[in-house]
Amino acid sequence: MKKTRTKYLRLAAVALIAAVALLDAAFLILPDAAMSPAENRALQQMPAVTLDGLTSGRFESRFEDYVADQFPLRTGWVRVKSALDRLLGKVESNGVFLGRDGWLIQNFNEPDAENYRQTVEAVRGFCTFRANLRQYMIVAPSAVTVCADKLPANAPAGDESGFIDRLQSDLSGTPLQFIDVRETLAALAREQQPYYRTDHHWTTPAAYAAYLQFARAAELPGASVPYEPVLLSDSFSGTLTASSGFRMDETDPLVAYLPESSVNYVVTYAGESGRHASVYWTENLNKRDQYTVFFNGNHPQVTIETGAESRRALLMLKDSYANCFAPFLIQDFRKIIMIDPRYYTGDLGVLIESEAITDVLFLYNANTLAGDAFLKMDLK
């Protein structure tokens, strides 16, 4: 009996070592993935080794993210881990809280001090250098702030609201007009759903409420245009189900707001041929990430040329929160250029001059802005 038990233990040890060796080999051999379709986000790539990165600790942090993002069979492991967490009574997985009433809520990640400093310096420098432009910023809070009542009891949520307050204070004294939409979204939450229960984005009603506040501040005529909500899908399952492994069967309705009277426009995507007559890619409603129905996801640069009776041209520096917000601006500007600094490699100064930009809007979710969104591009 003792020999049999020893034999099984040895076999189990050999199997474990073999499994670890196979996973390590797969990690080294398989090419790194650029995107996670299930989570709709760019995956961390192997960070460059620099003296500054090593001494500041940023290399170590990004290398840990790289290993976590590129680990073989990552999605399957996430689901296994979340199932075990639920059996143990845990209500958080991979930065996502298992909330009340079917809600999944992404936690707010406190910013790295050096990244935050560089982001503030970049934005302040841009605003000062481009003082001749009308400049606005919307930092969209997430559900962890606006829908805090849906969080599980005693959830260790990050202080997103404190971050927004700090950012607004640190950017004061510049030509930038900070548009705080927290109260607007909190008021909306008493009547409608401002965020998806399965995804980290705000819903189209929330984007529209934020647009109305922006339109009043920027004196835009489109605020008076009536819109009609149109159901695009009743089976939207967002990125938080994939990243957490929680509530894989939950879905959300996905809607678009269409104006009762519209202007003609064309959309072009940098690096791609062809012109499009709509910002909506309805064929993407058949894909895993239906949120890409707006502009077909994220791109380095998207240009919208409109027939609006306006002399104003807008440069929008943005993340994916802007994708369901931008359609409302078509009534207000003769041209809208959307730039995602995470992917853009062009010269922003040349773009501003050549396109005769008159207005600039920074539109970001707080979690994105707390990361390193601006560190890859010279804003001047």
Side-chain angles (χ1 to χ4, degrees):
M1 180 68 70
K2 185 176 180 181
K3 290 183 178 181
T4 302
R5 181 182 178 187
T6 302
K7 179 181 179 181
Y8 282 131
L9 288 175
R10 287 176 178 173
L11 288 173
V14 170
L16 179 61
I17 293 171
V20 172
L22 285 172
L23 287 172
D24 287 343
F27 180 78
L28 294 172
I29 295 173
L30 293 175
D32 292 342
M35 289 288 297
S36 168
E39 299 173 63
N40 188 31
R41 69 176 180 89
L43 296 176
Q44 176 67 51
Q45 303 300 296
M46 178 64 184
V49 180
T50 64
L51 180 61
D52 179 63
L54 291 171
T55 55
S56 68
R58 288 201 301 276
F59 174 83
E60 181 181 357
S61 174
R62 291 178 182 176
F63 184 76
E64 290 176 355
D65 292 340
Y66 165 71
V67 173
D69 277 3
Q70 301 296 342
F71 197 80
L73 305 175
R74 179 176 179 275
T75 301
W77 289 113
V78 168
R79 293 186 180 184
V80 171
K81 179 182 180 298
S82 67
L84 292 174
D85 286 345
R86 293 192 68 176
L87 289 175
L88 295 173
K90 294 183 179 180
V91 292
E92 186 274 337
S93 176
N94 201 25
V96 178
F97 293 117
L98 179 61
R100 301 183 176 97
D101 302 327
W103 280 76
L104 299 178
I105 299 178
Q106 183 182 37
N107 199 4
F108 173 71
N109 298 312
E110 298 290 342
D112 172 88
E114 180 60 19
N115 284 356
Y116 176 80
R117 182 190 67 78
Q118 292 185 38
T119 294
V120 170
E121 285 188 359
V123 176
R124 287 188 67 90
F126 174 91
C127 293
T128 302
F129 189 71
R130 299 290 175 181
N132 60 311
L133 305 178
R134 302 181 185 93
Q135 304 168 12
Y136 310 92
M137 173 174 277
I138 299 174
V139 180
S142 61
V144 76
T145 295
V146 178
C147 302
D149 59 314
K150 302 298 183 182
L151 287 168
N154 303 315
D159 186 11
E160 182 180 63
S161 196
F163 165 77
I164 296 174
D165 288 338
R166 177 186 173 193
L167 185 67
Q168 183 172 2
S169 175
D170 289 343
L171 293 176
S172 62
T174 71
L176 184 71
Q177 183 175 349
F178 199 97
I179 300 172
D180 191 342
V181 298
R182 282 174 289 182
E183 290 187 6
T184 295
L185 297 181
L188 178 71
R190 292 190 284 270
E191 301 176 357
Q192 298 188 60
Q193 187 175 312
Y195 300 89
Y196 299 105
R197 295 181 306 160
T198 66
D199 193 76
H200 65 286
H201 291 104
W202 57 8
T203 59
T204 304
Y208 180 60
Y211 161 75
L212 290 177
Q213 185 175 345
F214 170 62
R216 290 191 292 270
E219 299 180 339
L220 302 177
S224 62
V225 175
Y227 281 84
E228 180 72 23
V230 176
L231 179 67
L232 299 177
S233 172
D234 59 2
S235 60
F236 173 48
S237 180
T239 60
L240 298 185
T241 57
S243 61
S244 69
F246 290 141
R247 291 179 173 153
M248 302 298 292
D249 296 327
E250 292 283 348
T251 60
D252 282 293
L254 182 67
V255 303
Y257 276 23
L258 302 183
E260 290 188 4
S261 58
S262 60
V263 298
N264 294 324
Y265 65 91
V266 293
V267 186
T268 56
Y269 298 85
E272 301 179 17
S273 61
R275 294 156 63 87
H276 303 266
S278 175
V279 300
Y280 301 104
W281 292 61
T282 53
E283 62 269 33
N284 288 356
L285 296 174
N286 298 317
K287 295 183 178 180
R288 168 65 179 83
D289 183 15
Q290 295 180 351
Y291 188 77
T292 59
V293 69
F294 303 106
F295 291 99
N296 197 30
N298 296 316
H299 304 267
Q301 178 178 336
V302 178
T303 301
I304 310 172
E305 298 177 80
T306 82
E309 295 180 0
S310 172
R311 295 184 178 181
R312 296 167 70 173
L314 176 71
L315 171 67
M316 185 189 301
L317 299 169
K318 46 76 73 178
D319 66 5
S320 57
Y321 261 59
N323 293 358
C324 66
F325 178 98
F328 298 115
L329 301 170
I330 292 172
Q331 309 284 334
D332 300 311
F333 296 94
R334 63 173 177 81
K335 182 175 288 189
I336 302 162
I337 300 178
M338 302 163 61
I339 296 291
D340 192 325
R342 295 171 295 183
Y343 315 116
Y344 183 73
T345 58
D347 188 317
L348 204 59
V350 171
L351 179 70
I352 290 172
E353 298 300 327
S354 63
E355 298 291 351
I357 297 297
T358 60
D359 296 70
V360 177
L361 171 63
F362 296 86
L363 200 166
Y364 280 88
N365 169 246
N367 248 324
T368 305
L369 206 56
D372 59 357
F374 292 118
L375 303 186
K376 300 176 182 177
M377 185 177 81
D378 183 0
L379 288 183
K380 293 182 181 180

